Amino acid sequence: MARFDEVKATFWGEGLYGVQPPLTDAVVQDAELQLGVRLPASLLEILRVQNGGLVAEVWNAFPTDVPTSWSENHVPLDDMMGIGRHDGQPSLLDSGYLVEEWGLPSPLVLLSGDGHCWIALDYRTCGERGEPSVTWFDVDTDTELPLATDFQTFVERLAAAASLDDSDGSQSAS
């Protein structure tokens, strides 16, 4: 398992898709008020390096022990939303609207997804001030899969999708 600081240092890929202006304390405070939750410190650490965008290929998947609609052994993390309202880029601030639009449970803060599948901070158990778990939601199959007990653990378990793809159909050890 990779250490959080190692992943954080190389987390972001190249390109401007999804990148918001640099994160400030005022933006975080406003976002937490709008979302009605406390965001995990580890998420904010990564967003202070770059506020959303494409995830580096070395960290673009989360291994799973069960098959999903996406893969036999992982879920994708090609990009992660930042916090802001820049040039119509997707943002964590869109979570309330998207949760309602896609019929997801609440309270969630969506980190990544395309409408059919989402990776989200899940506040249902911990409450709005607690440390949320990370959950995969598949709207089309009406399923959810707990991924990690907290965001830092989620980040530390990320891997390259290419390392998880196995041509003979067997799952890779994680």
Side-chain angles (χ1 to χ4, degrees), residues 2 15 41 49 64 67 73 75 110-112 114 125 127 129 142 145 160 166 171:
V49 173
T64 61
N73 64 357
V75 296
L110 304 177
L111 298 173
S112 182
D114 64 2
T125 301
R129 307 312 294 164
D142 194 28
L145 175 64
D166 195 20
Q171 290 189 347

Side-chain angles (χ1 to χ4, degrees), residues 79-99:
D79 57 74
M80 192 170 77
M81 293 187 270
I83 301 171
R85 295 277 184 220
H86 181 67
D87 290 341
Q89 299 280 7
S91 169
L92 297 181
L93 299 177
D94 298 322
S95 292
Y97 164 77
L98 292 169
V99 163

